[in-house]
């Protein structure tokens, strides 16, 4: 889980053996048109020693990101080096790369923007945002639980300090920064649903739409309360009983939010999102809806928060998310988003 160019610890499976020969991937196309494939290669580089070289065949001009490209694979250290070369649109190159370097898988099934309806794209975009929020909540709950456990073992100030995380106060601040990012993502996601999706659902079933809005309203005080809890913990003496009590209460409240969101997302995907198809939007309305869903989440699709969002997805889910964004009518923005995460 998580995009491989963020700052995170590598698992044993992600550490590339030092004696593994380096494979050179040459991409022939413009910087803009090869951006999607370069993102894919960053995931592959977690398991294989890769060196990516972009060969500009467009004279510095940024051509359409769906133009035909070419990729050449060269393995270093071979007694009889051979070059595999494939050309075609980005989707063809991604299939080739996923076959040539199967881990981590980026294509669990063949996806095509041409065969995916815009309504289905909006639904899937929403569900993938749910996946990211869920993963980050689980991570923060594990982090907070571990922090409480270690604090109890130390009995306050005692015990060794882990140099990778620093003092207890430093770790709480790091946790707080991560929660702030998650809070921004959750708030923008809720805003997208309330402004764009719920009014559509209201035509199908006003009772379900009302229940969904009420659920959002109940969650907001809890989300903001957790942020205030973190601020309080940061200033309390970490050797006092009050610190341990505040830390324990914070962990419990975070677990409660995790369970609320797990149930909320489950109900929304089972009982609310299916009504999108029943809305019978025409193609122009569908395109406008998808464009607005991406536009409303402006901060979530900015540099740091966009990487944070993608970190909460499996590699194939992250690539699918990029596929969905590529269906927006504003191709310039799509291209800039890809360049941004590279």
């Amino acid at each position: 889980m998580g995009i491989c160019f963020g700052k995170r610890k590598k698992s044993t499976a992600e550490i590339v053996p030092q004696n593994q020969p380096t494979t050179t991937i040459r991409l022939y196309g413009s910087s803009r048109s090869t951006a999607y494939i370069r993102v894919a290669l960053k995931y592959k580089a977690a398991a294989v020693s890769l060196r990516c070289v972009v060969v500009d065949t467009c004279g510095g001009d940024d051509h359409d990101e769906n133009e035909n490209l070419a990729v050449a694979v060269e393995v270093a250290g071979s007694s009889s080096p051979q070059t595999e070369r494939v050309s075609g649109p980005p989707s063809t190159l991604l299939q080739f790369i996923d076959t040539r370097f199967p881990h981590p898988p980026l294509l669990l099934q063949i996806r095509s923007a041409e065969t995916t309806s815009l309504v289905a794209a909006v639904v899937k975009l929403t569900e993938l945002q749910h996946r990211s929020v869920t993963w980050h909540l689980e991570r923060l709950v594990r982090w907070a639980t571990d922090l409480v456990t270690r604090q109890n073992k130390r009995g306050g100030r005692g015990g060794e300090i882990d140099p990778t995380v620093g003092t207890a106060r430093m770790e709480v601040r790091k946790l707080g920064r991560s929660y702030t990012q998650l809070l921004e993502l959750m708030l923008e996601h809720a805003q997208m649903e309330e402004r764009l999706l719920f009014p559509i659902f209201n035509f199908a079933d006003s009772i379900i739409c009302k229940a969904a809005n009420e659920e959002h309203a109940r969650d907001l005080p809890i989300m903001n309360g957790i942020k205030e809890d973190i601020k309080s913990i940061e200033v309390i003496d970490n050797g006092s009983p009050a610190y341990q009590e505040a830390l324990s209460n914070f962990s419990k409240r975070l677990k409660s939010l995790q369970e609320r969101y797990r149930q909320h997302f489950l109900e929304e995907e089972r009982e609310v999102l299916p009504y999108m198809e029943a809305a019978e939007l025409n193609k122009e309305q569908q395109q406008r809806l998808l464009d607005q869903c991406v536009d409303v989440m402006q901060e979530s699709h900015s540099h740091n928060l966009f990487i944070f969002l993608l970190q909460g997805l499996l590699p194939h889910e992250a690539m699918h998310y990029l596929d969905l964004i590529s269906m927006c009518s504003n191709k310039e923005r799509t291209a800039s988003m890809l360049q941004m995460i590279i």
Side-chain angles (χ1 to χ4, degrees), residues 16 21 27 50 54 67 80 94 96 100 204 220 239 247 289 293 315:
V16 180
L27 295 175
L50 294 177
V54 177
E67 67 179 275
S80 56
L94 184 60
F96 166 73
R100 183 66 173 74
L220 187 58
L247 198 59
L289 177 63
C293 284

Side-chain angles (χ1 to χ4, degrees), residues 77-312:
S78 174
S79 58
S80 56
Q82 294 182 340
T83 300
E84 299 176 69
R85 186 182 176 103
V86 173
S87 61
S91 58
T92 300
L93 269 59
L94 184 60
Q95 291 176 40
F96 166 73
I97 289 171
D98 217 36
T99 302
R100 183 66 173 74
F101 309 103
H103 302 292
L106 300 182
L107 284 171
L108 294 190
Q109 68 274 337
I110 302 300
R111 305 186 298 263
S112 172
E114 290 77 16
T115 59
T116 301
S117 74
L118 293 168
V119 165
V122 170
V123 171
K124 191 61 182 178
L125 196 78
T126 305
E127 291 175 345
L128 288 174
Q129 290 170 8
H130 289 176
R131 301 292 176 275
S132 181
V133 169
T134 299
W135 185 84
H136 281 292
L137 272 173
E138 290 175 352
R139 170 177 167 269
L140 288 178
V141 166
R142 289 195 303 269
W143 191 354
T145 301
D146 184 58
L147 190 59
V148 170
T149 301
R150 283 184 281 118
Q151 183 70 14
N152 290 338
K153 285 182 178 179
R154 287 199 301 260
R157 295 183 188 276
E160 296 182 359
I161 294 176
D162 184 347
T164 63
V165 295
T167 65
R169 195 177 305 280
M170 291 168 64
E171 191 171 1
V172 169
R173 286 173 180 166
K174 291 176 183 177
L175 192 153
R177 287 194 295 269
S178 189
Y179 180 75
T180 297
Q181 287 183 297
L182 178 58
L183 183 59
E184 288 181 43
L185 176 59
M186 291 191 295
L187 290 175
E188 278 205 329
H189 173 79
Q191 183 184 43
M192 179 198 75
E193 291 185 333
E194 292 166 7
R195 288 177 54 182
L196 301 172
L197 303 189
F198 289 177
I200 295 174
F201 302 145
N202 192 53
F203 287 107
D205 192 321
S206 59
I207 295 177
I208 289 181
C209 181
K210 180 182 178 182
N213 272 305
E214 290 174 349
E215 186 75 19
H216 278 200
R218 286 193 294 268
D219 288 341
L220 187 58
I222 299 174
M223 292 156 59
N224 288 329
I226 291 174
K227 186 174 183 179
E228 294 305 313
D229 284 346
I230 296 173
K231 290 180 180 179
S232 299
I233 294 171
E234 287 180 357
V235 298
I236 299 175
D237 180 359
N238 68 343
S240 68
Y243 178 85
Q244 290 178 282
E245 182 180 359
L247 198 59
S248 178
N249 290 338
F250 159 70
S251 179
K252 291 176 183 176
R253 188 181 288 200
L254 197 57
K255 287 179 183 177
S256 175
L257 181 66
Q258 177 195 25
E259 178 55 30
R260 287 180 65 87
Y261 262 79
R262 186 194 68 79
Q263 187 63 31
H264 171 67
F265 287 159
L266 183 65
E267 292 175 356
E268 196 170 271
E269 292 175 16
R270 184 178 58 201
E271 300 174 7
V272 181
L273 290 179
Y275 283 115
M276 283 294 298
E277 292 288 351
E280 297 183 337
L281 302 177
N282 61 42
K283 191 170 183 178
E284 182 180 342
Q285 290 172 323
Q286 293 179 35
Q287 183 66 67
R288 184 164 60 248
L289 177 63
L290 178 61
D291 291 344
Q292 290 174 334
C293 284
V294 174
D295 290 341
V296 164
M297 298 189 65
Q298 184 175 358
E299 289 301 317
S300 298
H301 292 143
S302 65
H303 182 264
N304 290 331
L305 204 54
F306 191 29
I307 291 177
F308 181 83
L309 189 162
L310 295 178
Q311 281 177 334

